[in-house]
Amino acid sequence: MKKYKVGIIGATGMVGQRFATLLDNHPWFEVILLAASERSAGRKYCEAVKNSWKMSTPIPESMKEMVIFNAEADAEKIASLVDFVFCAVNMKKEDIKKLEEKYARLECPVVSNNSAHRHTDDVPMLLPELNPEHAEIIEKQRKRLGTKRGFIAVKPNCSIQCYVPALFPLDKAGYKVKDVLVCTYQAISGAGKNFDSWPEMVDNVIPFIGGEEEKSEKEPLKIWGNIEGDVIKDSTTPNFTAQCIRVPVSDGHTGAVYVRFEEGKKPTKEECLKIWEAYKGEPQKLCLPSAPKQFLHYFSEDNQPQCKEKRDLENGMAISIGRLREDTQFDYKFVCLAHNTMRGAAGGAVLMAELLAAKGYFD
């Protein structure tokens, strides 16, 4: 595989820091520049994040001395130096939209962790094991943008990546999912914080995360959707309802899921387990560098999956499922878990970039 030169836009934030650690010594991608806001521009990376480094591993040696570019003012320069960029900026949604389109129109593909373009109908929102075919809309997007190489691709919200991967394979196996109720219990790193920077979360639960419930209910419908003409048309089913709660956990989003299937389409418990165990997506078939060998892991113990024990499974890129049982109101209920800054954020975006690279979208 060709070695691609990449940049990280928004490198000083928590997700940007996670990108830095994941891309250090990546076999396909070489980070050659970092960019952030005007406040950090012109400073060495080690200086800019000196008092805000949140990763458990040190700042990568290859990036410590890099001088940070201004993500907005230096866009043309950045676009001329890299094959594509990863984007994880903390800005207003409309400003993010403009910034990402600016890079795309400068013929620099954008692999985004941001939510701004998730509902732009010709921007693929990829969970690589589930809907890789949505990447085909990129050619339509390029036509709209008037570009040859430039495009935007986004990853879904971090919380839906703990439970949608368990539901989607059942639906595609012919057991049509009708209704889903989910309660997510979300780690503080999802807010870009740790316990040092957010002591109020110690011994506390906050029953509201702004915008999260809307994302949890709407974004799965785009993943279930299909390309129709020049757009991705959202599916109208399944029906999702969600409650999202912030809990005092450092990393790992847990979902308590209740599912009802269409009449006559309910699988047995054994069929569910068999489908989960056998399911492989394009990342597994292509042996992408960041792909977990086993995408979905089921644990039969009553007290699993637990965040501390399972969030780092397969380098944080696998989905853990447990406690599958029949329910009195729905057909089944179960619990699932994903590492929110690995699978849910930066790691999922790196895997998406690997898929796009393998399919030739950066060439």
Side-chain angles (χ1 to χ4, degrees), residues 275-340:
I275 290 167
W276 286 336
E277 182 180 9
Y279 189 81
K280 293 183 184 298
E282 283 289 292
Q284 287 72 40
K285 295 172 186 175
L286 294 170
C287 297
L288 299 179
S290 299
K293 289 182 172 59
Q294 180 70 32
F295 179 41
L296 305 173
H297 293 250
Y298 185 82
F299 297 92
S300 58
E301 300 91 338
D302 286 340
N303 64 347
Q304 294 293 348
Q306 295 180 22
C307 279
K308 272 191 175 182
E309 294 185 20
K310 306 303 182 189
R311 62 190 171 201
D312 293 319
L313 189 64
E314 298 217 39
N315 297 315
M317 293 299 288
I319 309 300
S320 299
I321 310 170
R323 301 203 69 208
L324 175 66
R325 60 222 190 272
E326 291 191 337
D327 182 61
T328 56
Q329 305 297 317
F330 288 75
D331 289 326
Y332 288 112
K333 52 191 172 186
F334 59 88
V335 176
C336 41
L337 166 71
H339 195 304
N340 57 295

Side-chain angles (χ1 to χ4, degrees), residues 11-280:
T12 56
M14 178 175 274
V15 176
Q17 293 176 21
R18 180 68 77 183
F19 273 129
T21 60
L22 289 176
L23 294 168
D24 189 33
N25 297 315
H26 190 281
W28 295 4
F29 307 143
E30 178 188 2
V31 177
I32 66 162
L33 62 83
L34 306 171
S37 67
E38 184 180 8
R39 184 176 62 253
S40 298
R43 303 171 67 189
K44 290 182 179 179
Y45 190 48
C46 59
E47 297 170 353
V49 298
K50 181 179 180 180
N51 298 318
S52 60
W53 186 255
K54 295 181 174 67
M55 300 296 103
S56 59
T57 54
I59 302 169
E61 287 294 327
S62 62
M63 303 177 207
K64 287 177 71 172
E65 300 298 314
M66 286 186 179
V67 176
I68 298 173
F69 284 79
N70 184 317
E72 295 185 84
D74 297 329
E76 289 190 27
K77 178 69 171 176
I78 293 168
S80 72
L81 294 172
V82 300
D83 293 308
F84 70 94
V85 295
F86 291 97
C87 189
V89 293
N90 183 15
M91 301 165 63
K92 293 179 180 178
K93 185 172 287 190
E94 286 306 311
D95 293 334
I96 295 173
K97 279 188 172 184
K98 292 176 183 176
L99 183 68
E100 292 182 343
E101 280 214 4
K102 182 177 183 177
Y103 276 90
R105 292 183 189 277
L106 288 168
E107 299 292 2
C108 178
V110 178
V111 176
S112 178
N113 181 75
N114 302 302
S115 65
H117 276 290
R118 287 182 190 157
H119 293 290
T120 302
D121 56 18
D122 61 2
V123 171
M125 184 177 72
L126 299 176
L127 210 165
E129 282 88 353
L130 305 188
N131 63 333
E133 70 281 359
H134 283 192
E136 295 170 14
I137 199 68
I138 287 171
E139 293 308 318
K140 302 294 186 181
Q141 184 193 148
R142 283 172 169 163
K143 184 177 179 181
R144 173 176 65 85
L145 295 173
T147 59
K148 293 182 179 179
R149 290 189 70 253
F151 66 87
I152 302 162
V154 301
K155 51 150 285 299
N157 180 259
C158 54
S159 64
I160 78 167
Q161 296 188 63
C162 71
Y163 60 90
V164 168
L167 295 165
F168 193 88
L170 301 176
D171 190 273
K172 294 305 174 183
Y175 302 106
K176 305 304 291 182
V177 176
K178 181 182 179 184
D179 300 307
V180 178
L181 183 154
V182 60
C183 296
T184 59
Y185 304 91
Q186 301 186 203
I188 63 173
S189 56
K193 298 182 181 181
N194 55 24
F195 288 113
D196 290 335
S197 61
W198 201 4
E200 297 87 353
M201 273 307 305
V202 176
D203 192 31
N204 196 18
V205 168
I206 298 177
F208 173 73
I209 306 172
E212 201 74 7
E213 289 165 359
E214 292 85 352
K215 294 173 186 176
S216 299
E217 294 171 356
K218 288 182 63 178
E219 289 187 17
L221 299 178
K222 186 166 184 178
I223 292 173
W224 251 273
N226 294 295
I227 295 175
E228 296 183 13
D230 294 346
V231 302
I232 298 170
K233 183 83 169 178
D234 288 3
S235 177
T236 56
T237 58
N239 302 307
F240 284 87
T241 185
Q243 283 203 111
C244 300
I245 300 169
R246 189 74 71 193
V247 294
V249 171
S250 57
D251 293 299
H253 287 354
T254 299
V257 182
Y258 300 78
V259 57
R260 181 182 294 116
F261 296 90
E262 290 183 2
E263 189 173 349
K265 297 290 185 179
K266 177 183 175 181
T268 65
K269 180 179 177 180
E270 290 72 25
E271 287 168 332
C272 292
L273 298 178
K274 185 177 179 181
I275 290 167
W276 286 336
E277 182 180 9
Y279 189 81
K280 293 183 184 298

